Amino acid sequence: MTIRERRFSRDGLTPFQRFYLIFFALTVLSPLIPMIIASFAFRWFWPDLLPSEWWASARHTLTQPIGWDYVFSPYSRLFTAIRNTLVIGFSVTLLCLAISLPAARVLAREKFRAKGLVEFFLLTPLIVPEVAIGLGVLLIFIQLGLAGSFVGIVLAHLIPTVPYAIRVLTSVFQNLSTDYEEQAMVLGANPLKTFWHITLPMIFPGIMAGGLFVFLVSSNVFLLTFFVGRGQVETLPTLLFTKVSSGGVLDPVTAGITLITMLPGIILLLITERFIREEVFAKGFSG
Amino acid sequence: MTELKIVNLTKRFDDSVVVDNVSITVEPGRLVALLGPSGCGKTTTLRMIAGLTVPTDGDIQFSGQSVLQQPPERRNIGMVFQRYVLFPHMSVAQNVGFGLFIRGISKTEIQRRVREMLEIVQLEHLEKRFPSQLSGGQQQRVAIARTLVTNPQILLMDEPLSNLDAKLREEMRTFIKELQQRLNITTLFVTHDQVEAMELADQVGVMFKGKLVQFGIPEEVFNHPHNSRVADFMGATNLIRGKIVRQEAGGIQLNISAGDLLVQSPGSHALGTEVIATIRPEHIDIVETEPLDKHVGNRFKGTIEQVVYFGGSVSYQVEASGLNLKVLERSTRMMTVGQEVILRLNPQKLWIFPEQA
């Protein structure tokens, strides 16, 4: 029997594989196209394929800022929202990792009674509807005086992020043999030095990957932020919600803010890309 | 120099006893090999000495001082793991210097001692490389250098050669032996390879199922195994079941499935005792025709069932009236499968042991 040689193009893909990748990219990216057009439109009515009047030509004829001018003006409250999102996002990420690291280590390495129960319990925040959690948390936080505060929002964001981070980091620890830490101890390193010089550098890519996803979840949480913040702390998702409910989806300002909202995630993804590629794609989301 | 003494060391996990009342003394500057099949508890013993596993019972003493209360980092021991365990985020020099760095020794001093150590293991040209850029043998030597650079009082090695290919393994064996003798460091070496144990060790301890079955100099363990399992593990892989029917000055006569078997082995056994006789494959003669001297005993007719050629020696699997014997012959001639042969089992090379339950 002769083996038919499969023909590969220069990029090493078969025609079907290339078609599949392009199709996939289009599916993900195509919804952005109307968004981009809308952000640059001034008048855009059904059934026109393209706007009848563009922002660039209309902005000089009006006295108040429209479209992108409005987005970047203080009226839009965009910069406050970005700042709040970043402050909350980074606080949540740091706090969440600090909580999840020791827990993940124990779950990955130790056997104890009721371990299965603990693992199940960690998943419950992902199962219980966000509205239920949000309302419950709000009631408690009002009592504690945390409603409407940054601290309250950060604490509330830990609810959906901690289970996620623990699962990711558990798989990171499962992939790290205890040999390295034991070798370090035998060489004279106490547990703290072992963690600092051996464990931490070795799981750093996993921490970056986990941290990135925690940040992305935090910067996208709407309901919890809205409930616990009581509308007093504006983040990108809550700002977006306000704009959508007042101006509609194809409003140029809404479209512009939507595009801006994507930026922190994209920038972070680019910064951490090296680590993510190692962790997520090599090991998957197993946990 | 430090003496390593373990006394009645025991480790239980849940219901199973992994290490069962083991006592060994390694004299200062000596190398002792712990030999046994995987799962016999030898690695657990090593880990308890290192402080990585907490013993259930017994004591571990360095020069008469119990170290049970000390965490691993205080015991000042060196341990070489089976998989080398080089830190992947550190260069060769950083790996070797880690133990010194952690002890807060000055940078220049670390540099000097790392270089000195790398010279000993002949890797001074690779100090800037990372572990992933090294071959298995080089990684092993880095691991050894990293362990020795801190001048540990005791060296523990957990199957350090099992991941290397045959030729490299032999080289590293000589290297380790020379290094150990030169530095005069008390060493406990764990292996499942009897040849390795024989070549390296001053004394050998054989472990089965958590128990230390035999302890002694290599020649003694090799030539006078305490029971059939040790014999089997030391290469006497032919086990023949039989019953003692006669005992006289000339030896012991057994009744086995293929007839009578004469064994010239010391010790006295009650008549009718069920025993196991063992013999090494290389101690069985194999001939194609009846030898002239018909008075020589222990001859059995058989058929060759399997032939494996090793180059310089040939291994045969021979079926002789219910006996399945392995025969190793140093020869370049080869007999064929199905051929009728005559086996002669040298009575002086047979050992007998009481049958195990």
Side-chain angles (χ1 to χ4, degrees):
Chain A
M1 200 179 90
T2 55
I3 297 162
R4 197 150 50 99
E5 217 174 296
R6 223 193 284 184
R7 220 168 284 167
F8 288 102
S9 52
R10 223 164 3 124
D11 51 12
L13 297 172
T14 63
F16 175 74
Q17 285 169 330
R18 193 168 328 106
F19 166 77
Y20 187 83
L21 279 178
I22 293 169
F23 178 76
F24 180 70
L26 280 179
T27 327
V28 174
L29 295 176
S30 55
L32 285 177
I33 296 167
M35 211 53 96
I36 294 168
I37 297 173
S39 74
F40 286 99
F42 182 60
R43 279 176 218 283
W44 192 9
F45 300 117
W46 194 85
D48 297 346
L49 195 61
L50 285 173
S52 50
E53 195 172 358
W54 295 87
W55 160 71
S57 57
R59 60 189 292 214
H60 305 294
T61 62
L62 293 164
T63 48
Q64 74 265 47
I66 55 155
W68 283 106
D69 293 320
Y70 183 87
V71 170
F72 288 116
S73 74
Y75 304 114
S76 72
R77 304 190 302 279
L78 176 69
F79 291 105
T80 319
I82 290 180
R83 200 199 60 207
N84 288 348
T85 307
L86 291 179
V87 168
I88 292 169
F90 282 119
S91 312
V92 170
T93 307
L94 285 179
L95 211 56
C96 178
L97 288 176
I99 294 169
S100 308
L101 265 175
R105 192 186 145 94
V106 170
L107 281 176
R109 297 203 169 149
E110 308 292 339
K111 277 184 206 148
F112 51 88
R113 252 193 295 170
K115 185 178 172 180
L117 200 68
V118 171
E119 281 169 342
F120 172 75
F121 198 68
L122 277 171
L123 279 179
T124 48
L126 303 178
I127 299 165
V128 179
E130 218 178 326
V131 183
I133 297 175
L135 281 173
V137 169
L138 179 60
L139 287 176
I140 297 166
F141 279 12
I142 288 172
Q143 292 291 314
L144 297 174
L146 287 169
S149 70
F150 271 85
V151 176
I153 294 178
V154 169
L155 289 178
H157 280 197
L158 290 174
I159 296 169
T161 52
V162 163
Y164 187 78
I166 287 180
R167 286 187 79 76
V168 169
L169 292 174
T170 300
S171 94
V172 169
F173 272 111
Q174 275 164 348
N175 283 302
L176 177 73
S177 154
T178 52
D179 286 0
Y180 296 100
E181 286 158 345
E182 289 180 343
Q183 175 72 81
M185 287 199 278
V186 169
L187 285 169
N190 62 33
L192 198 69
K193 282 179 176 168
T194 302
F195 180 77
W196 185 252
H197 293 293
I198 305 299
T199 318
L200 202 58
M202 288 190 74
I203 62 170
F204 191 68
I207 291 181
M208 288 302 277
L212 173 73
F213 283 102
V214 168
F215 182 88
L216 289 180
V217 169
S218 162
S219 65
N220 277 310
V221 167
F222 166 72
L223 264 173
L224 282 173
T225 317
F226 192 67
F227 280 11
V228 175
R230 303 177 89 181
Q232 291 158 13
V233 180
E234 201 147 42
T235 63
L236 283 170
T238 60
L239 176 67
L240 202 57
F241 182 76
T242 321
K243 296 292 172 196
V244 171
S245 50
S246 65
V249 231
L250 282 184
D251 174 65
V253 173
T254 311
I257 291 176
T258 309
L259 292 173
I260 298 282
T261 305
M262 292 170 59
L263 282 181
I266 293 173
I267 292 167
L268 270 182
L269 198 67
L270 289 177
I271 297 172
T272 52
E273 184 250 6
R274 198 161 59 91
F275 304 109
I276 308 299
R277 206 169 31 195
E278 281 174 31
E279 278 306 306
V280 179
F281 292 110
K283 287 159 197 163
F285 288 92
S286 61
Chain B
M1 273 192 288
T2 310
E3 179 203 59
L4 166 65
K5 191 172 187 179
I6 61 179
V7 190
N8 302 330
L9 199 63
T10 301
K11 179 66 189 178
R12 267 186 288 271
F13 286 113
D14 300 329
D15 327 325
S16 65
V17 186
V18 184
V19 175
D20 192 357
N21 213 9
V22 170
S23 299
I24 296 174
T25 303
V26 186
E27 285 159 34
R30 291 297 175 89
L31 193 157
V32 166
L34 264 188
L35 181 64
S38 54
C40 73
K42 53 195 196 308
T43 296
T44 308
T45 306
L46 212 62
R47 290 177 57 87
M48 287 193 279
I49 298 168
L52 299 172
T53 300
V54 180
T56 313
D57 212 350
D59 198 12
I60 299 162
Q61 296 164 0
F62 295 174
S63 288
Q65 298 284 316
S66 173
V67 294
L68 281 187
Q69 297 308 315
Q70 292 176 4
E73 68 265 24
R74 297 264 184 76
R75 293 193 184 183
N76 191 24
I77 38 145
M79 182 158 175
V80 178
F81 288 67
Q82 189 171 358
R83 301 186 314 116
Y84 325 139
V85 209
L86 299 183
F87 305 130
H89 57 293
M90 296 184 192
S91 70
V92 166
Q94 284 172 315
N95 260 289
V96 175
F98 183 79
L100 302 173
F101 165 75
I102 236 61
R103 285 167 173 77
I105 286 162
S106 76
K107 244 182 172 175
T108 46
E109 172 77 358
I110 293 177
Q111 230 167 25
R112 189 183 64 75
R113 282 168 71 175
V114 165
R115 195 152 301 159
E116 197 180 277
M117 204 63 226
L118 284 176
E119 263 168 46
I120 293 177
V121 298
Q122 294 149 25
L123 287 176
E124 61 271 31
H125 56 293
L126 297 178
E127 61 174 8
K128 292 210 167 56
R129 295 265 186 98
F130 280 83
S132 57
Q133 300 167 304
L134 302 178
S135 71
Q138 289 168 340
Q139 288 188 34
Q140 180 59 277
R141 281 187 285 168
V142 173
I144 292 172
R146 177 177 63 181
T147 297
L148 293 177
V149 79
T150 56
N151 293 325
Q153 50 178 336
I154 281 164
L155 178 62
L156 307 171
M157 300 182 114
D158 186 6
E159 307 230 9
L161 305 179
S162 60
N163 283 350
L164 302 174
D165 61 60
K167 192 170 168 293
L168 206 55
R169 195 151 53 213
E170 234 156 88
E171 261 175 54
M172 284 303 294
R173 234 185 259 157
T174 324
F175 174 79
I176 288 175
K177 183 76 189 168
E178 278 173 12
L179 200 62
Q180 190 266 335
Q181 282 175 343
R182 189 164 124 200
L183 300 173
N184 235 328
I185 180 168
T186 310
T187 305
L188 191 62
F189 187 102
V190 157
T191 179
H192 63 265
D193 181 347
Q194 48 115 343
V195 182
E196 208 166 279
M198 295 289 124
E199 190 176 323
L200 281 172
D202 298 309
Q203 279 170 308
V204 176
V206 187
M207 280 182 81
F208 283 105
K209 291 184 180 162
K211 286 198 170 74
L212 186 70
V213 181
Q214 190 165 4
F215 188 80
I217 58 168
E219 296 90 297
E220 192 184 297
V221 177
F222 190 79
N223 291 322
H224 304 285
H226 281 180
N227 65 36
S228 63
R229 270 193 314 202
V230 179
D232 182 25
F233 204 77
M234 300 310 285
T237 44
N238 290 313
L239 303 184
I240 305 161
R241 276 166 206 285
K243 197 192 275 184
I244 296 179
V245 289
R246 207 142 56 88
Q247 194 160 209
E248 52 193 43
I252 299 159
Q253 195 171 335
L254 303 183
N255 190 283
I256 60 169
S257 63
D260 283 344
L261 186 71
L262 190 69
V263 180
Q264 275 167 358
S265 163
S268 66
H269 305 264
L271 293 184
T273 315
E274 301 270 348
V275 292
I276 293 176
T278 73
I279 187 163
R280 293 178 178 282
E282 61 267 32
H283 289 155
I284 300 179
D285 296 323
I286 184 165
V287 287
E288 287 167 79
T289 49
E290 199 81 11
L292 288 174
D293 185 2
K294 291 203 178 190
H295 300 292
V296 181
N298 287 353
R299 279 178 291 114
F300 301 98
K301 273 192 184 154
T303 316
I304 296 180
E305 290 197 322
Q306 204 185 53
V307 182
V308 182
Y309 187 62
F310 290 122
S313 61
V314 192
S315 161
Y316 300 101
Q317 191 74 46
V318 182
E319 215 279 324
S321 354
L323 286 180
N324 226 319
L325 298 175
K326 196 173 249 177
V327 182
L328 191 73
E329 196 189 30
R330 278 198 194 288
S331 158
T332 45
R333 86 176 160 157
M334 237 173 93
M335 288 178 275
T336 50
V337 173
Q339 195 174 340
E340 298 277 323
V341 289
I342 290 161
L343 300 179
R344 201 180 81 85
L345 281 57
N346 186 343
Q348 284 169 342
K349 303 284 184 175
L350 274 155
W351 306 307
I352 56 171
F353 306 102
E355 186 159 13
Q356 253 120 25

